[in-house]
Amino acid sequence: MNVLITGGCGFIGSNLVKYLRRVRPDWTLVNLDKLTYAGNLENLKELEGDPQHIFVRGDVANRELVEHLLSVHRIDAVMHLAAESHVDRSILGPEAFIQANVLGTQQLLEASRVRGIKRFLMVSTDEVYGSLGPTGFFTETSPLQPSSPYSASKTSSDLLALAWHHTFGLDVVVTRCSNNYGRYQFPEKLIPLMVVNALHDKPLPVYGDGGNVRDWLHVEDHCSALLTALEKGRAGQVYNIGGNSERKNIEIVKAILGLLNKPESLIKYVKDRPGHDRRYAIDPTKIRTELGWTPSHTFEQGIQETVRWYVDNSAWWERVMSGAYRQYFETQYRTR
Ligand code: NAD
Ligand code: DAU
């Protein structure tokens, strides 16, 4: 199998590339990544010199480049992860999200159709469903009610992928996963940001009352679900991915402080995120029963290992927290 992975230098993408090299060693992976602020080749250092990982710097919206890669590498399947991924950034500047997530996905779908790709895996998100009240779960038939520019752009790409299946017969599978955590997550997202701030004895900015709930899944469990969906998913179907691991944000922040032996006085409640979704919770019954996928990490064990990794790899996050990221980070703080 020859697989084009888009966004393979980001958090989930780099974990996925390494996971696939381990569990499908005979596959060749072509990794197309624009290397935005969130893309980091250092995440894939251990694959240097590996002839079955081919990195190409480029934009998924570059139709000519994508078509060239699909044909020259005889690509069988596409796993589409490339996206602008951070909700707060989408509130500060939505345009990049429409460009990458909507227009970029459209170009990739069209190139895949023209070049006769056998399977297109669209990596979507549970944020397409909007917010839940205190009870209930998102199923694959829940209404799509995205709240932020990020989630609206992801809903657009998710629906475009399904339209390319229904209208043009492209073999598409869509996955909608809950919040991931683990190694190499950019320190703008909740868990790594809190770890890094706590290590520096800086305030931990908790939005609103800290009672918002996310449903956490270890990134390697997401990777195994993506492989399962790629290999076993039915064309035109949507599969929710989640590990039944709901936590309030404030619980996570306190757990991190506990693991780092830092005081809770570092917690700083700040102005809420505009349009902040209150609760996400995934019903993963379909992927579990139909495709036989199960997660293998517990949150308690996973968060301990993840916090340890950030403590042991300060050189990694110190390097990524520079330049463009710092500028954004300062804007975030000025507005709160
Ligand atoms: P990330 O921001 O860490 O990585 C995104 C990667 O895409 C980066 O390497 C970046 O350089 C690349 N990229 C961005 N625009 C590009 C373009 N136009 N062309 C080529 N490459 C481009 O994101 P992540 O957290 O790893 O998320 C990956 C995917 O999974 C996204 O589609 C996201 O919506 C989805 N997802 C994420 C989560 C989560 O909790 N992080 C949960 C569900 C779904
Ligand atoms: O649910 C899947 C989604 O999860 C993915 O599609 C997105 O790409 C990914 O970024 C993530 O979105 P969230 O908005 O849920 O993740 P984030 O880490 O930004 O925030 C998690 C929660 O923590 C959310 O309720 C906002 C809150 N938060 C976040 C930050 C960065 C804070 O309270 N303080 C913060 O500083």
Side-chain angles (χ1 to χ4, degrees), residues 10-12 33-34 36 39 58-60 81 85 124 150 154 178 180:
F11 162 50
I12 300 171
D33 198 299
K34 191 178 169 185
T36 67
D59 193 323
V60 292
L81 290 90
S85 69
S124 187
Y150 162 70
K154 287 296 291 185
S178 63
N180 285 215

Side-chain angles (χ1 to χ4, degrees), residues 140 228 232 234 238-240 242 283-295:
E140 288 80 358
T228 303
K232 298 188 192 161
R234 281 183 295 135
V238 174
Y239 296 91
N240 280 352
D283 177 351
T285 305
K286 184 174 173 185
I287 192 166
R288 280 175 175 258
T289 54
E290 196 184 295
L291 307 186
W293 171 80
T294 48

Side-chain angles (χ1 to χ4, degrees), residues 17-211:
V17 166
K18 286 180 276 194
Y19 173 79
L20 290 178
R21 289 298 297 124
R22 269 202 319 275
V23 301
R24 293 292 179 274
D26 51 336
W27 288 12
T28 294
L29 310 176
V30 178
N31 173 1
L32 174 62
D33 198 299
K34 191 178 169 185
L35 295 185
T36 67
Y37 77 96
N40 187 352
L41 262 179
E42 201 185 326
N43 301 358
L44 293 167
K45 222 171 164 183
E46 67 198 63
L47 297 185
E48 265 171 26
D50 179 344
Q52 281 165 259
H53 169 245
I54 300 163
F55 169 70
V56 179
R57 185 173 192 182
D59 193 323
V60 292
N62 181 342
R63 176 79 175 278
E64 206 180 319
L65 170 67
V66 174
E67 282 203 41
H68 169 74
L69 293 176
L70 295 180
S71 71
V72 85
H73 295 291
R74 298 171 193 280
I75 296 294
D76 301 295
V78 174
M79 300 177 89
H80 180 33
L81 290 90
E84 288 292 336
S85 69
H86 190 38
V87 173
D88 291 325
R89 283 179 187 264
S90 82
I91 297 167
L92 289 174
E95 203 171 318
F97 288 71
I98 309 303
Q99 181 59 43
N101 302 359
V102 185
L103 300 174
T105 300
Q106 180 231 323
Q107 293 298 347
L108 190 65
L109 283 164
E110 190 54 7
S112 301
R113 179 184 76 81
V114 168
R115 295 289 164 178
I117 292 308
K118 296 192 204 96
R119 171 135 289 187
F120 187 104
L121 184 78
M122 173 68 215
V123 180
S124 187
T125 168
D126 63 356
E127 296 205 10
V128 299
Y129 298 120
S131 188
L132 286 167
T135 58
F137 296 90
F138 297 132
T139 71
E140 288 80 358
T141 55
S142 297
L144 303 181
Q145 293 176 326
S147 312
S148 69
Y150 162 70
S151 50
S153 71
K154 287 296 291 185
T155 309
S156 306
S157 56
D158 175 318
L159 293 177
L160 284 172
L162 290 171
W164 253 250
H165 170 71
H166 293 298
T167 305
F168 303 117
L170 184 66
D171 183 318
V172 168
V173 172
V174 173
T175 57
R176 296 179 183 150
C177 189
S178 63
N179 283 63
N180 285 215
Y181 69 97
R183 299 167 180 209
Y184 297 105
Q185 187 168 32
F186 199 86
E188 64 188 349
K189 307 282 166 62
L190 180 75
I191 291 177
L193 177 74
M194 296 299 163
V195 175
V196 166
N197 279 17
L199 288 172
H200 285 136
D201 295 310
K202 281 166 60 176
L204 274 50
V206 172
Y207 299 168
D209 65 0

Side-chain angles (χ1 to χ4, degrees), residues 240-290:
N240 280 352
I241 305 171
N244 296 108
S245 208
E246 288 179 57
R247 298 285 184 286
K248 285 186 179 160
N249 293 339
I250 191 64
E251 291 170 356
I252 305 243
V253 171
K254 286 184 177 171
I256 291 170
L257 287 170
L259 288 167
L260 293 173
N261 208 15
K262 295 284 183 178
E264 290 189 5
S265 55
L266 285 176
I267 294 172
K268 184 177 175 217
Y269 290 93
V270 298
K271 195 168 144 223
D272 208 353
R273 172 186 277 174
H276 197 176
D277 286 334
R278 189 66 180 170
R279 174 172 169 259
Y280 301 149
I282 278 281
D283 177 351
T285 305
K286 184 174 173 185
I287 192 166
R288 280 175 175 258
T289 54
E290 196 184 295

